[in-house]
Amino acid sequence: MTSPAALDPAYELTTERDRIDVARVHRLLLDHAYWAAGRSREQQEAIVAASRNYGLLERGTGQQVGYARIVTDGVTFAWLADVVVDPAHRSRGLGAALVDGILADLEPLGVKRVLLKASPEGAPLYVRTGFEALEDPEAWMVRRRH
């Protein structure tokens, strides 16, 4: 694990729900996140309402350029999901700063496990922040709605 990534001063990280641009998040996910394909705006609004949200905003314009969320019980378990950065703002360390900011925000809770499903291109970012492969992945199960 490396030291936390510094956030470029041209950007800010917010956890304030009223500063999360749900329409922009929805568009970023539909355009740049294969796992969100087919997600409706209504579903995105419900997701934001039920999650701890993290927005990356460009200071000069206030435009949302990144997003991620946490689903958690606040004690034992958290799931990091929907990490996305606008391609026009990539290669500035924003993804790393976003994940580091989220982990720092969770630290006071003492959450024992933070899980995520990483894409092959995203995995190196998460390894850098201390994520590792599950020790016993065959013990995990999923129930899908058909």
Side-chain angles (χ1 to χ4, degrees):
M1 192 163 86
T2 62
S3 59
L7 181 59
D8 181 323
Y11 299 89
E12 67 176 305
L13 177 64
T14 185
T15 59
E16 298 172 44
R17 186 168 294 162
D18 64 341
R19 295 184 70 200
I20 302 296
D21 182 344
V22 178
R24 175 86 170 124
V25 167
H26 186 239
R27 180 62 22 213
L28 281 170
L29 288 167
L30 288 182
D31 291 348
H32 307 292
Y34 64 86
W35 63 87
R39 186 180 291 172
S40 72
R41 172 69 186 275
E42 293 75 23
Q43 288 171 322
Q44 189 63 56
E45 289 174 5
I47 287 166
V48 169
S51 300
R52 289 176 75 107
N53 300 280
Y54 300 85
L56 274 176
L57 309 176
E58 188 175 35
R59 285 188 192 274
T61 64
Q63 181 183 37
Q64 181 133 17
V65 301
Y67 175 78
R69 67 188 179 97
I70 289 284
V71 179
T72 184
D73 62 13
V75 179
T76 64
F77 175 84
W79 171 43
L80 175 58
D82 289 343
V83 180
V84 65
V85 174
D86 184 327
H89 296 267
R90 291 182 185 166
S91 299
R92 298 176 189 171
L94 295 177
L98 176 59
V99 172
D100 286 344
I102 292 166
L103 295 174
D105 186 58
L106 292 176
E107 190 64 32
L109 300 177
V111 173
K112 297 185 184 325
R113 282 178 300 284
V114 180
L115 293 145
L116 64 85
K117 183 174 181 185
S119 64
E121 61 274 8
L125 165 71
Y126 303 115
V127 168
R128 186 198 64 75
T129 60
F131 283 88
E132 56 191 36
L134 289 171
E135 291 176 17
D136 193 14
E138 58 277 353
W140 285 83
M141 299 177 77
V142 65
R143 181 178 182 266
R144 299 183 196 283
R145 182 177 176 187
H146 298 287

